[in-house]
């Protein structure tokens, strides 16, 4: 058989089949059932938060968080441009306006520019941040922990407190990442801001096929999110509704997968960390680029490995390398195209975007499944070195 090393595939080595069979056997396959509650409890215990709401997707989790923040049509929400577009689309679902922000060398939002935007482009009036030139309210910031790397939450929270911004952490890639030092020592990605969203899509660190979750500081708000996610149904029998709801709740079959995956999460993180170290060692002698690192003072879940390539300044160069790897049976991918350059967002507001442009041209992701072997990692690095010398 030809060699094929996938970028990122799910790992079902645990109780997945057992729990899914159980859910099917019991007939609880839809948006009610014990596995949903169990997954929510397990996540809340793991994260150390009062409550978690399980959703159909990470995107739904982010949308519900924005609704709970009170984001209304015409409001502004500060978002990163270098990330997956699902982090931004929910802003549009609320008919609010994204303001695109640059990244720093962690690939996460640049807090220096975030502060500068608030300081120079906005003013505070009665504890509300107002965008000078449009007069619109700037209500929230969505911070993405890119590839499992914590954004600089210490600085971002300071800014958010000063300017009365709600903070939604998009921790869809960062379940299991936490601070080991500093003001937020012991705090997980997604538990520091007002809300944190997780995703259990097929390529994430744990998967329910499709799925997500949202947590937050206030139990009441997460309870309300659960209510909104189940069509805002007020009672069991009479179909009384006081609000517009959504069909966003996770199903019991998905949750059965999730409960099994949670049992393995720490083992997955252990493997991701050890494979990351091996890649880093092997790439130390690579003179055409470097492995991007995770923030010091944190334990990262090391979800995705990113290599910054030298002398790759155009998308064509990056695609040539990706195709060459593909021919060797190695699946890799380019980092995302910038969101503010995508058709739906081309007329949106941007602020001093520079670094994101550079990184979007020269970063590739290498295979990172938990099942990858040491031999396969050596092979990937060998091939990458060879291709980049050519
Ligand atoms: C995966 C992902 C999402 C969306 O999660 P889904 O479960 O696929 O809806 C949002 N933001 C980022 C940064 C992601 O990587």
């Amino acid at each position: 058989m030809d060699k094929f090393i996938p970028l990122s595939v799910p790992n079902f080595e645990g109780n997945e089949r057992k729990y899914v069979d159980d859910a099917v056997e019991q007939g609880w396959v839809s948006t009610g059932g014990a596995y949903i509650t169990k997954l929510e409890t397990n996540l809340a215990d793991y994260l150390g938060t009062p409550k978690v709401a399980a959703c159909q997707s990470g995107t739904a989790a982010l949308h519900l968080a924005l609704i709970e923040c009170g984001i209304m049509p015409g409001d502004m929400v500060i978002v990163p441009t270098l990330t997956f577009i699902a982090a931004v689309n929910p802003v549009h679902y609320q008919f609010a306006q994204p303001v695109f922000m640059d990244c720093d060398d962690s690939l996460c939002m640049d807090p220096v520019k975030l502060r500068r935007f608030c300081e120079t482009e906005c003013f505070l009036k009665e504890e509300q941040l107002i965008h000078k030139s449009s007069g619109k309210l700037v209500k929230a910031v969505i911070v993405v922990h890119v590839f499992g790397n914590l954004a600089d939450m210490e600085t971002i929270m300071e800014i958010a407190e000063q300017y009365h911004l709600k903070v939604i952490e998009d921790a869809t890639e960062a379940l299991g990442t936490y601070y080991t030092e500093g003001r937020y020592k012991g705090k997980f990605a997604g538990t520091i801001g007002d809300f944190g969203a997780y995703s259990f899509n097929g390529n994430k660190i744990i998967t329910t096929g499709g799925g997500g979750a949202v947590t937050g500081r206030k139990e009441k708000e997460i309870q309300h999110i659960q209510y909104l996610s189940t069509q805002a149904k007020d009672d069991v029998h009479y179909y009384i509704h006081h609000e517009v709801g959504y069909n966003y709740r996770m199903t019991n079959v998905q949750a059965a997968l999730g409960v099994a995956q949670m049992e393995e999460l720490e083992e997955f993180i252990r493997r991701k960390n050890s494979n990351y170290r091996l890649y880093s060692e092997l790439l130390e002698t690579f003179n055409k680029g470097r492995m991007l690192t995770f923030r010091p003072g944190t334990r990262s879940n090391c979800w995705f490995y990113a290599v910054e390539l030298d002398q790759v300044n155009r998308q064509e160069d990056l695609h040539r390398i990706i195709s060459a790897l593909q021919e060797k049976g190695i699946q890799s991918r380019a980092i995302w195209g910038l969101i503010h350059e995508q058709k739906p967002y081309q007329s949106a507001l941007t602020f001093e975007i520079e670094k994101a442009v550079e990184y979007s041209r020269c970063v590739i992701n290498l295979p990172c499944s938990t099942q990858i072997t040491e031999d396969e990692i050596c092979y990937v690095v060998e091939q990458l070195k060879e291709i980049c010398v050519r």
Side-chain angles (χ1 to χ4, degrees):
M1 209 173 89
D2 282 345
K3 194 186 256 308
F4 178 69
I5 307 173
L7 180 68
S8 174
V9 288
N11 182 333
F12 296 139
E13 290 171 7
N15 287 318
E16 287 80 7
R17 279 169 192 79
K18 191 175 151 202
Y19 296 166
V20 170
D21 275 354
D22 183 43
V24 172
E25 201 107 303
Q26 291 176 18
W28 287 94
V29 294
S30 198
T31 55
Y35 282 107
I36 305 172
T37 329
K38 187 153 172 40
L39 179 61
E40 288 176 335
T41 311
N42 290 357
L43 277 165
D45 289 348
Y46 178 83
L47 295 168
T49 55
K51 203 173 182 63
V52 168
C55 309
Q56 289 279 359
S57 68
T59 311
L62 286 162
H63 189 195
L64 290 169
L66 283 166
I67 295 166
E68 198 61 33
C69 278
I71 303 303
M72 310 282 266
D75 289 341
M76 280 185 168
V77 179
I78 302 169
V79 297
T81 188
L82 183 65
T83 188
F84 184 45
I85 199 161
V88 175
N89 284 337
V91 174
H92 192 79
Y93 303 163
Q94 286 306 98
F95 300 96
Q97 286 191 8
V99 180
F100 288 99
M101 198 57 55
D102 204 10
C103 66
D104 63 15
D105 293 317
S106 71
L107 301 186
C108 303
M109 189 176 284
D110 184 342
V112 176
K113 288 182 177 169
L114 174 64
R115 187 190 297 279
R116 192 148 64 227
F117 174 78
C118 297
E119 238 166 49
T120 62
E121 304 292 310
C122 310
F123 64 94
L124 270 174
K125 189 183 168 195
E126 289 158 11
E127 306 208 330
Q128 288 187 313
L129 192 63
I130 296 165
H131 182 240
K132 276 185 202 165
S133 64
S134 66
K136 289 180 188 297
L137 287 178
V138 187
K139 276 199 188 154
V141 55
I142 297 176
V143 181
V144 180
H145 303 300
V146 177
F147 299 148
N149 193 23
L150 256 170
D152 179 359
M153 288 306 289
E154 294 199 1
T155 314
I156 289 169
M157 290 307 289
E158 250 176 51
I159 299 166
E161 279 154 29
Q162 184 181 348
Y163 290 102
H164 299 276
L165 290 169
K166 293 274 189 191
V167 177
I168 297 172
E169 294 181 73
D170 177 334
T172 51
E173 305 180 355
L175 178 63
T177 295
Y178 61 85
Y179 275 105
T180 54
E181 288 171 19
R183 178 180 169 194
Y184 294 120
K185 185 176 173 178
K187 284 284 222 178
F188 280 91
T191 70
I192 298 165
D194 295 276
F195 295 97
Y198 301 90
S199 166
F200 312 124
N201 195 27
N203 66 344
K204 298 301 202 288
I205 192 141
I206 65 166
T207 185
T208 60
V214 56
T215 195
R217 282 202 289 248
K218 295 184 185 142
E219 189 168 353
K220 269 227 163 79
E221 291 180 341
I222 302 304
Q223 219 160 358
H224 186 238
I225 280 177
Q226 283 177 335
Y227 166 75
L228 291 178
S229 78
T230 47
Q231 308 283 23
K233 196 159 164 279
D234 278 342
D235 65 296
V236 188
H237 302 294
Y238 300 106
Y239 288 89
I240 308 297
H241 306 267
H242 294 293
E243 283 183 71
V244 174
Y246 300 81
N247 185 7
Y248 275 176
R249 188 142 175 89
M250 184 183 275
T251 68
N252 203 45
V253 175
Q254 292 170 314
L257 264 181
V259 170
Q261 291 272 285
M262 273 306 283
E263 293 171 355
E264 295 164 274
L265 173 58
E266 279 300 315
E267 169 60 17
F268 291 168
I269 293 173
R270 194 192 60 73
R271 292 190 202 176
K272 292 255 186 192
N273 271 265
S274 109
N275 291 337
Y276 169 73
R277 281 193 297 274
L278 180 58
Y279 265 121
S280 301
E281 276 165 35
L282 294 169
L283 281 163
E284 258 169 35
T285 54
F286 181 45
N287 54 14
K288 300 279 180 191
R290 69 205 55 77
M291 191 88 168
L292 293 179
T293 56
F294 295 95
R295 186 175 299 283
T298 68
R299 191 288 297 259
S300 172
N301 69 358
C302 294
W303 173 63
F304 246 51
Y305 312 135
V307 176
E308 177 188 4
L309 296 168
D310 296 336
Q311 292 150 7
V312 172
N313 302 313
R314 300 170 312 155
Q315 225 134 47
E316 297 93 82
D317 298 334
L318 203 57
H319 290 148
R320 182 186 64 78
I321 291 166
I322 290 167
S323 307
L325 284 168
Q326 190 75 38
E327 276 170 30
K328 299 289 179 184
I330 299 164
Q331 193 183 25
S332 63
R333 59 159 233 203
I335 198 171
W336 310 279
L338 300 178
I339 302 173
H340 77 277
E341 291 175 355
Q342 310 300 317
K343 211 169 172 190
Y345 295 112
Q346 280 168 0
S347 59
L349 211 61
T350 60
F351 185 72
E352 297 184 8
I353 292 170
E354 293 146 338
K355 280 208 163 146
V357 178
E358 306 292 318
Y359 281 114
S360 74
R361 288 177 186 153
C362 70
V363 169
I364 65 165
N365 297 119
L366 297 177
C368 63
S369 307
T370 50
Q371 302 94 323
I372 196 169
T373 63
E374 288 190 7
D375 285 349
E376 286 174 331
I377 292 173
C378 294
Y379 174 78
V380 170
V381 172
E382 240 167 62
Q383 295 305 317
L384 180 68
K385 284 177 179 172
E386 214 178 287
I387 287 163
C388 289
V389 168
R390 266 190 258 151

